[in-house]
Amino acid sequence: GEQAWDVILTDYRMPEFSGMRALEVLQRSKLDIPFILVSGTVGEEVAVALMKAGANDFVLKHRLTRLGAAVARELRDAEVRRQRRRAEAALEILADAGKLAVEVLDLDVIVKRAAELLVPRLADWCIVYARDPTGMKDESAVACEASVDREALEELARHYPLEVGEEPSGFGAMMRTREPRLISTVRDEDLAALARDEHQLRLLRRLAPRSLVVIPQVARDRVVGLVVLAACRPGRYTTADFDLARELGARFALVVENARLSRAREEFI
């Protein structure tokens, strides 16, 4: 559970452990990692039982020449499954984002719905900020998995609203340059570059993101908000995830802009 793995190779009998117990650990984690048993001591019955329990393949030690092909096949199949899941999730998220676009909603409802839309399908935690160019209150909303420090997340959103800063890095700089950013593997120096001060850095460390995507929302040549997505579990955001987040950011920006225009019209009337 501490990092991303490509494949698991296991003997059947090990000191104080077994291949079956290793498979149970994998299944509890709910991670999709190819699991191949390599053994010379188990019979066909045990091998079949392991395959039925969820193992992907079984290789006898006296036939290790087929191990390379088995690993290559399982890695290829796992990647196909990941791509299929990403595509299905992307379609669902974009469809739900489209529903937001046809509803007339207040700004606070929009950011709340957007945050809930992203967790857990695209992030372990997220913050959605929306700026109100009419001068009324800016809005922010958070959403997170149960394992995330929600108190730290809410404090981060509440105490550090959006600012278009002059600093060379951080959220404010991204608002100014309008450049989205993908941090596939987050290091402590990345968190330090995003933080305005030591307190914000401590909050970011408590939230422990392993991978980050930050998307400024731009509509009609105006920066209307920011979306911060974080993955805390093993694995990292890919360019495909980044492209999806950019598309969502563009859609959320239009929804926010429509809400702003609706509010301005109501005020005029």
Side-chain angles (χ1 to χ4, degrees):
E2 295 181 359
Q3 70 181 70
W5 303 99
D6 296 311
V7 63
I8 295 172
L9 303 178
T10 178
D11 204 335
Y12 182 70
R13 291 190 179 91
M14 295 169 280
E16 301 182 10
F17 203 51
S18 71
M20 185 62 80
R21 285 181 61 196
L23 181 60
E24 290 168 358
V25 170
L26 173 63
Q27 291 173 332
R28 283 199 301 271
S29 75
K30 297 182 179 178
L31 297 172
D32 184 2
I33 305 174
F35 185 99
I36 300 176
L37 181 73
V38 182
S39 182
T41 60
V42 300
E44 188 177 332
E45 246 180 63
V46 174
V48 170
L50 273 164
M51 297 288 282
K52 286 183 178 178
N56 296 91
D57 205 348
F58 171 70
V59 178
L60 291 169
K61 287 183 178 178
H62 65 272
R63 296 184 61 192
L64 284 180
T65 51
R66 64 175 292 268
L67 180 59
V71 169
R73 183 190 63 249
E74 294 304 331
L75 290 175
R76 187 172 57 249
D77 291 350
E79 181 57 26
V80 168
R81 291 194 299 273
R82 280 192 291 270
Q83 290 180 359
R84 183 171 60 246
R85 284 196 299 271
R86 277 198 295 263
E88 290 170 351
L91 288 174
E92 289 178 3
I93 294 171
L94 290 172
D96 288 344
K99 293 174 186 175
L100 281 178
V102 298
E103 297 182 64
V104 180
L105 300 170
D106 291 335
L107 204 56
D108 60 334
V109 177
I110 289 171
V111 295
K112 184 174 184 296
R113 292 259 195 101
E116 292 170 348
L117 176 67
L118 296 167
V119 175
R121 289 184 287 186
L122 196 57
D124 293 316
W125 63 260
C126 78
I127 307 176
V128 179
Y129 297 97
R131 305 197 77 184
D132 188 350
T134 63
M136 297 179 69
K137 182 186 175 186
D138 291 350
E139 298 289 349
S140 66
V142 303
C144 64
E145 292 274 55
S147 58
V148 172
D149 187 338
R150 189 178 184 90
E151 182 182 350
L153 184 61
E154 290 176 343
E155 188 174 350
L156 182 65
R158 184 172 60 252
H159 287 285
Y160 294 93
L162 286 184
E163 290 182 7
V164 182
E166 295 299 323
E167 65 272 12
S169 60
F171 297 142
M174 281 180 253
M175 291 286 288
R176 186 180 68 254
T177 63
R178 305 182 179 188
E179 287 296 324
R181 187 175 177 193
L182 165 65
I183 308 176
S184 293
T185 303
V186 176
R187 300 163 301 175
D188 193 64
E189 49 262 45
D190 296 314
L191 299 181
L194 291 171
R196 293 183 207 166
D197 54 35
E198 282 299 319
H199 181 61
Q200 188 176 22
L201 179 57
R202 284 194 294 272
L203 292 174
L204 287 169
R205 284 170 174 163
R206 283 171 61 185
L207 291 168
R210 296 189 179 197
S211 195
L212 276 172
V213 170
V214 185
I215 307 291
Q217 301 174 57
V218 181
R220 297 182 176 91
D221 201 35
R222 178 190 292 112
V223 180
V224 298
L226 190 79
V227 177
V228 182
L229 303 173
C232 301
R233 289 169 291 188
R236 58 184 62 87
Y237 285 127
T238 64
T239 52
D241 300 318
F242 187 48
D243 291 341
L244 173 58
R246 294 178 70 172
E247 173 66 22
L248 287 169
R251 296 195 183 200
F252 290 156
L254 290 175
V255 174
V256 170
E257 180 68 0
N258 289 339
R260 183 192 71 82
L261 293 173
S262 176
R263 179 181 287 180
R265 184 182 60 204
E266 289 174 3
E267 289 174 355
F268 174 77
I269 292 172

